[in-house]
Amino acid sequence: MPIYDYKCRQCQHEFEKLVRHNETPVCPACQALELERVVSAPGISTQKSRSYTHGIARKAANSVKKEQDHAQREYERNYIKDHS
Ligand SMILES: [Zn+2]
């Protein structure tokens, strides 16, 4: 299940929400339904939050890379096993 960042259009409250299928998120501060999904870092205010988000993105990219390497090794091992 994906976790999305939202920003409330009523009170500007920002929060993360785990959204289940067909579920409509509601602002936890004012219960408004008018939420904006915050997709990525550009436009978000402070330098600190930008570098923080950037660090997370880099960490995620690294772990994807690791998984790909692992899958590749697994594939090669099975291939050798099947063809020897
Ligand atoms: Zn709100």
PDB file of all heavy atoms in Angstrom, residues 8 11 27 30, ligand 1:
ATOM      1  N   CYS A   8      -3.364  19.918   2.968  1.00  0.00           N
ATOM      2  CA  CYS A   8      -4.751  20.335   3.064  1.00  0.00           C
ATOM      3  C   CYS A   8      -4.928  21.722   2.460  1.00  0.00           C
ATOM      4  O   CYS A   8      -4.167  22.635   2.745  1.00  0.00           O
ATOM      5  CB  CYS A   8      -5.180  20.355   4.526  1.00  0.00           C
ATOM      6  SG  CYS A   8      -6.857  20.942   4.749  1.00  0.00           S
ATOM      7  N   CYS A  11      -6.459  24.209   5.552  1.00  0.00           N
ATOM      8  CA  CYS A  11      -5.650  24.707   6.671  1.00  0.00           C
ATOM      9  C   CYS A  11      -4.145  24.591   6.419  1.00  0.00           C
ATOM     10  O   CYS A  11      -3.353  24.888   7.300  1.00  0.00           O
ATOM     11  CB  CYS A  11      -6.049  23.989   7.959  1.00  0.00           C
ATOM     12  SG  CYS A  11      -5.545  22.260   7.990  1.00  0.00           S
ATOM     13  N   CYS A  27      -8.262  15.380   5.945  1.00  0.00           N
ATOM     14  CA  CYS A  27      -7.297  16.114   6.745  1.00  0.00           C
ATOM     15  C   CYS A  27      -7.485  15.792   8.225  1.00  0.00           C
ATOM     16  O   CYS A  27      -8.583  15.935   8.752  1.00  0.00           O
ATOM     17  CB  CYS A  27      -7.465  17.613   6.507  1.00  0.00           C
ATOM     18  SG  CYS A  27      -6.424  18.605   7.599  1.00  0.00           S
ATOM     19  N   CYS A  30      -8.485  19.280  10.188  1.00  0.00           N
ATOM     20  CA  CYS A  30      -9.774  19.987  10.049  1.00  0.00           C
ATOM     21  C   CYS A  30     -10.834  19.159   9.332  1.00  0.00           C
ATOM     22  O   CYS A  30     -11.920  19.642   9.067  1.00  0.00           O
ATOM     23  CB  CYS A  30      -9.563  21.327   9.337  1.00  0.00           C
ATOM     24  SG  CYS A  30      -9.238  21.133   7.569  1.00  0.00           S
TER      25      CYS A  30
HETATM   26 ZN    ZN B   1      -7.018  20.767   7.098  1.00  0.00          ZN
END
